């Protein structure tokens, strides 16, 4: 088995860092799994990957959550952040680091970024008067607020807002309007999907106001250098985590040199404004190159509503993992929920998806071919060069499906990618049905070997392609094909084949049980 290095790129990918205000839920799992799939895909495509996730621990929202539990904020954060960290294992995330914004390394990076913004003349002291949502940790304009039953709500997120008047430092966001528009124009894929890019551009074109970047009415945060009455606005603090994890401000550090600017921030559409407007503006002002891309996925809905703690309509990821296994959850979320738009999930659809794609299609393909080869070929098949028209037809169909796969992944079209790969599995199953190798054992052993060789080679390809999505199950299959970790690699997309003429297998246990 050969291993070809096709290219060696560095790829830095991040999840949002999560508020440890309550227990993790499916929305958090969703953001994290999407990022993990891209991280694993890039590793399998010979890139050097750094994958970051973590928790966002400062601000009024967290201070209030700690008060509610009668805990010191840091003790509260230690407790809940650990639950998020444990979840990374349960979701089988391949993250290289887990950052907490209460860590010293983060404090250093935020202070440096602030000092740079002061030095560049982008920060000034004034007074903030306006609406604030603690739940979103966001300021809203008057035209973004509406009234219901005597209370005020953000029309953007639906969360309650309160009136705030306090001394505050401001970031000169308005001065960056033109430069941001130029930046979006030059970097057409900075914001994906395109519908989100348009939303952001329209928002910026409608005029940006300076942004309040410090608070004085509470203390849980990073103090403004030389003015300890102010804590730094939690979003300026939180966004900087992407730099802190690379040991910024030590710009000669290997991590920073290798991985900044970030390749991809995976986020939900609700936090696009912060990542696609504020973040590049802060970075440009501080003379730091902005990230290459922000991908804003849609929401997971339960019925027609966003799944969220406050709405009480949560499907608990841990219960689903216990019952169906992590690969089933990962596959379902990645395939069924279209990443650009919102998607409704339900247990019923999860079960249908497991049965149709995993148990009856990919799982069945692996099981039937492995057990046939074990029982009839002494666990070993050999290829000969006599290919038939039906073999060629299968190769053509598969090559057609393989063609755009790298591009689909590199443009975050995960749903299309999965549909193409599962179609290869469907075609291979059909090929076996049509070729009926079980009829050839006594009459044409050579042809039978060829059919099984072709089927096993397709199984290897499908497993490598599905590996980022369902790593546990595909690793079992690839291990049973005696493939080493090194050969779980997308080189075959360029090279064409995986094996050298003979395939030996080991026993394979059932991968996915059909749900009845
Ligand atoms: N702490 C900020 C992010 C700071 S990043 C520098 C935050 N945290 S969060 O815990 O509220 O949300 C984190 C992510 O979970 C967001 O990307 C959000 O979109 C995602 N989800 C939360 N509920 C969701 C759904 N119901 N569906 C899909 N994702 C949603 O925002």
């Amino acid at each position: 088995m050969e291993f070809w290095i096709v290219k060696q790129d560095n790829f830095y990918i991040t999840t949002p860092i999560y508020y440890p205000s309550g227990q993790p839920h499916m929305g958090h799992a969703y953001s994290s799994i999407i990022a993990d799939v891209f991280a694993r895909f890039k590793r399998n495509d010979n890139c050097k990957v750094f994958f970051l996730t973590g928790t966002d621990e400062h601000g009024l929202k967290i201070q209030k959550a700690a008060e509610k539990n009668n805990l010191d904020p840091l003790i509260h954060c230690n407790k809940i952040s650990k639950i998020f960290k444990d979840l990374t294992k349960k979701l089988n995330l391949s993250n290289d680091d887990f950052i907490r914004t209460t860590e010293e390394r983060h404090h250093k990076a935020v202070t440096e970024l602030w000092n740079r913004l002061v030095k560049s003349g982008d920060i000034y002291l004034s007074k903030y008067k306006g609406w604030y949502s603690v739940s979103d940790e966001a300021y809203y304009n008057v035209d973004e607020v509406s009234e219901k039953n005597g209370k005020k709500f953000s029309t953007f997120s639906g969360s309650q807002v309160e009136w705030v008047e306090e001394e505050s430092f401001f970031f000169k966001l308005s001065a960056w309007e033109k430069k941001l528009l130029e930046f979006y124009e030059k970097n057409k894929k900075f914001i994906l999907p395109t519908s989100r890019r348009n939303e952001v551009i329209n928002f910026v074109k409608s005029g940006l106001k300076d942004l309040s970047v410090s608070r004085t009415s509470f203390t849980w945060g990073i103090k403004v250098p030389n003015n300890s009455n102010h804590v730094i606005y939690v979003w300026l603090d939180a966004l900087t985590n992407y730099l802190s994890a690379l040991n910024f401000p030590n710009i000669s550090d290997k991590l920073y040199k290798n991985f900044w600017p970030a390749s991809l921030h995976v986020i939900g559409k609700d936090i696009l404004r912060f990542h696609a407007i504020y973040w590049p503006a802060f970075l440009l002002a501080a003379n730091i190159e902005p990230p290459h891309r922000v991908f804003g996925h849609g929401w997971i809905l339960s019925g027609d509503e966003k799944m969220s703690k406050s709405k009480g309509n949560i499907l608990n990821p841990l219960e689903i993992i216990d019952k169906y296994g992590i690969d089933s959850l990962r596959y379902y979320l990645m395939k069924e929920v279209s990443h650009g738009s919102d998607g409704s999930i339900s247990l019923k659809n999860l079960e249908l998806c497991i049965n149709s794609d995993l148990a009856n299609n990919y799982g069945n393909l692996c099981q039937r071919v492995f057990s046939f080869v074990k029982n009839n070929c002494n666990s070993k098949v050999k290829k000969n060069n006599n290919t038939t028209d039906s073999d060629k037809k299968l190769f053509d169909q598969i090559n057609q499906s393989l063609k755009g796969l790298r591009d689909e992944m590199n443009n975050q079209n995960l749903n299309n990618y999965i549909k193409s790969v599962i179609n290869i599995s469907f075609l291979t199953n059909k090929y076996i049905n049509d070729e009926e190798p079980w009829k050839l054992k006594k009459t044409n052993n050579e042809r039978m070997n060829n059919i099984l060789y072709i089927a096993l080679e397709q199984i290897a390809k499908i497993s490598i392609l599905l590996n980022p999505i369902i790593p546990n199950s595909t690793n079992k299959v690839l291990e049973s094909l005696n493939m080493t970790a090194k050969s779980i690699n997308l080189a075959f997309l360029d090279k064409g084949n995986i094996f050298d003429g003979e395939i030996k297998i080991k026993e394979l246990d059932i991968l996915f049980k059909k749900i009845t």
Side-chain angles (χ1 to χ4, degrees):
M1 233 172 288
E2 252 180 296
F3 173 66
W4 282 16
I5 296 287
V6 179
K7 58 187 168 57
Q8 179 84 55
D9 283 338
N10 292 346
F11 188 78
Y12 177 27
I13 179 162
T14 64
T15 72
I17 49 170
Y18 303 104
Y19 288 127
S21 51
Q23 299 292 321
H25 62 70
M26 199 61 93
H28 303 131
Y30 184 59
S31 286
S32 287
I33 295 171
I34 295 180
D36 186 56
V37 169
F38 296 135
R40 287 177 183 270
F41 180 86
K42 283 297 199 181
R43 282 195 203 97
N44 290 350
D45 206 12
N46 299 310
C47 293
K48 239 199 234 159
V49 172
F50 191 75
F51 171 25
L52 178 70
T53 186
T55 41
D56 179 0
E57 307 188 5
H58 290 133
L60 193 50
K61 181 178 170 112
I62 303 300
Q63 184 174 308
K64 284 192 169 170
E67 277 163 10
K68 211 169 146 197
N69 292 316
N70 268 329
L71 287 175
D72 167 79
L74 185 58
I75 294 176
H76 165 88
C77 289
N78 289 344
K79 212 171 117 194
I80 313 259
S81 177
K82 182 171 181 309
I83 300 176
F84 275 92
K85 199 168 182 179
D86 291 346
L87 184 71
T88 61
K89 303 277 169 303
K90 302 223 165 78
L91 297 176
N92 200 4
L93 302 187
S94 59
N95 56 302
D96 299 285
D97 198 351
F98 184 100
I99 191 154
R100 298 183 54 192
T101 54
T102 44
E103 289 174 58
E104 181 54 30
R105 58 174 171 162
H106 178 69
H107 195 122
K108 264 197 214 156
V110 174
T111 306
E112 169 69 14
L113 183 63
W114 179 276
N115 286 339
R116 285 194 183 201
L117 297 178
V118 171
K119 213 168 152 200
S120 66
D122 282 278
I123 282 186
Y124 63 91
L125 187 62
S126 183
K127 190 172 177 192
Y128 178 74
K129 253 192 196 178
W131 295 106
Y132 191 80
S133 156
V134 179
S135 167
D136 306 341
E137 295 284 20
Y139 303 94
Y140 289 108
N141 297 333
V142 177
D143 60 358
E144 292 175 308
V145 167
S146 67
E147 191 173 319
K148 203 171 142 194
N149 303 331
K151 288 181 180 154
K152 302 276 189 184
F153 295 88
S154 150
T155 46
F156 176 74
S157 67
S159 58
Q160 202 173 334
V161 294
E162 58 191 41
W163 186 255
V164 169
E165 281 192 33
E166 62 191 34
E167 185 185 76
S168 173
F169 284 100
F170 280 78
F171 171 73
K172 285 185 188 162
L173 186 62
S174 58
W176 289 93
E177 203 177 294
K178 208 169 140 245
K179 295 227 175 61
L180 281 172
L181 290 170
E182 279 167 17
F183 174 73
Y184 303 141
E185 188 51 37
K186 255 201 222 145
N187 300 281
K188 294 247 167 18
K189 288 189 174 177
F190 172 63
I191 304 163
L192 280 185
T194 315
S195 54
R196 300 265 136 76
R197 170 185 152 84
N198 298 338
E199 276 166 32
V200 169
I201 291 179
N202 289 339
F203 184 81
V204 175
K205 277 187 178 158
S206 73
L208 293 177
K209 292 207 312 201
D210 289 351
L211 178 72
S212 160
V213 285
S214 75
R215 303 283 319 258
T216 38
S217 50
F218 63 91
T219 53
W220 180 236
I222 297 177
K223 300 242 177 314
V224 164
N226 307 319
N227 194 333
S228 57
N229 291 335
H230 291 247
V231 290
I232 294 177
Y233 174 41
V234 66
W235 270 101
L236 173 51
D237 168 340
L239 288 160
T240 310
N241 89 88
Y242 303 132
L243 287 170
S244 335
L246 303 184
N247 296 327
F248 176 86
N250 183 1
I251 56 169
S252 52
D253 188 275
K254 245 180 152 183
L255 276 178
Y256 185 83
K257 272 169 74 181
N258 281 337
F259 292 107
W260 193 261
S263 315
L264 179 61
H265 293 316
V266 172
I267 56 158
K269 64 177 185 179
D270 47 332
I271 55 174
L272 192 61
R273 211 179 269 188
F274 306 98
H275 283 82
I277 302 175
Y278 302 168
W279 184 223
F282 294 151
L283 291 170
L284 289 169
N287 204 14
I288 299 170
E289 200 180 329
H292 287 161
R293 183 169 301 169
V294 173
F295 174 70
H297 63 71
W299 283 337
I300 295 192
L301 308 176
S302 173
D304 289 332
E305 287 199 307
K306 182 183 178 206
M307 194 171 280
S308 75
K309 199 177 96 189
S310 49
K311 295 204 169 86
N313 57 2
I314 287 173
L315 275 185
N316 183 337
L318 297 181
E319 283 170 17
I320 294 190
I321 295 167
D322 278 349
K323 189 160 172 208
Y324 303 97
I326 178 60
D327 275 3
S328 298
L329 175 66
R330 288 174 65 109
Y331 185 87
Y332 173 61
L333 289 179
M334 296 305 104
K335 173 165 182 232
E336 297 283 313
V337 187
S338 162
H339 295 130
S341 27
D342 297 344
S344 197
I345 62 169
S346 69
L347 280 184
K348 192 169 155 259
N349 285 340
L350 168 73
E351 292 187 348
L352 285 173
C353 175
I354 296 175
N355 282 349
S356 73
D357 286 17
L358 298 178
N360 294 344
N361 190 342
Y362 172 66
N364 178 42
L365 172 67
C366 296
Q367 238 76 54
R368 70 197 294 213
V369 176
F370 270 76
S371 61
F372 190 87
V373 171
K374 176 179 166 245
N375 296 333
N376 298 284
C377 313
N378 207 12
S379 298
K380 193 166 76 187
V381 291
K382 263 194 169 171
K383 175 170 89 157
N384 58 68
N385 290 327
N386 303 327
T387 41
T388 64
D389 285 349
S390 56
D391 298 348
K392 282 196 201 104
K393 187 176 158 209
L394 180 74
F395 294 146
D396 284 350
Q397 286 174 318
I398 288 180
N399 288 339
Q400 198 54 34
S401 296
L402 289 176
K403 244 186 200 165
L405 285 182
R406 230 191 222 118
D407 275 356
E408 295 287 17
M409 266 303 200
N410 289 338
N411 288 301
Q412 286 72 53
N413 291 326
L414 200 36
N415 313 114
N416 291 354
Y417 173 93
I418 297 178
K419 280 175 194 150
S420 295
V421 178
I422 208 68
N423 186 46
I424 300 177
S425 177
F426 172 82
L427 292 170
T428 311
N429 257 322
K430 183 172 179 307
Y431 170 79
I432 307 260
N433 292 347
D434 295 345
E435 296 303 306
E436 302 179 309
W438 47 88
K439 285 191 179 159
L440 300 172
K441 191 172 176 197
K442 293 209 175 92
T443 54
N444 192 347
N445 203 277
E446 213 180 60
R447 173 69 190 147
M448 182 185 82
N449 256 264
N450 233 15
I451 296 167
L452 295 167
Y453 183 95
I454 290 171
L456 282 174
E457 180 133 45
Q458 302 320 320
I459 288 176
K461 289 181 183 173
I462 298 161
S463 303
I464 294 174
L465 291 165
L466 288 182
N467 180 258
I469 300 140
I470 46 171
N472 285 346
S473 327
T474 49
N475 280 340
K476 277 189 206 157
V477 176
L478 293 164
E479 157 74 5
S480 296
L481 283 165
N482 291 299
M483 292 178 70
T484 57
K486 236 179 149 193
S487 54
I488 302 180
N489 184 292
L490 291 155
F492 75 86
L493 284 176
D494 310 292
K495 194 183 149 216
N497 57 324
I498 293 182
F499 299 103
D500 292 335
E502 186 180 88
I503 307 174
K504 287 187 189 142
I505 62 157
K506 291 193 278 220
E507 195 145 348
L508 179 69
D509 290 337
I510 295 225
L511 295 172
F512 300 97
K513 285 204 187 90
K514 198 170 166 179
I515 298 157
T516 46

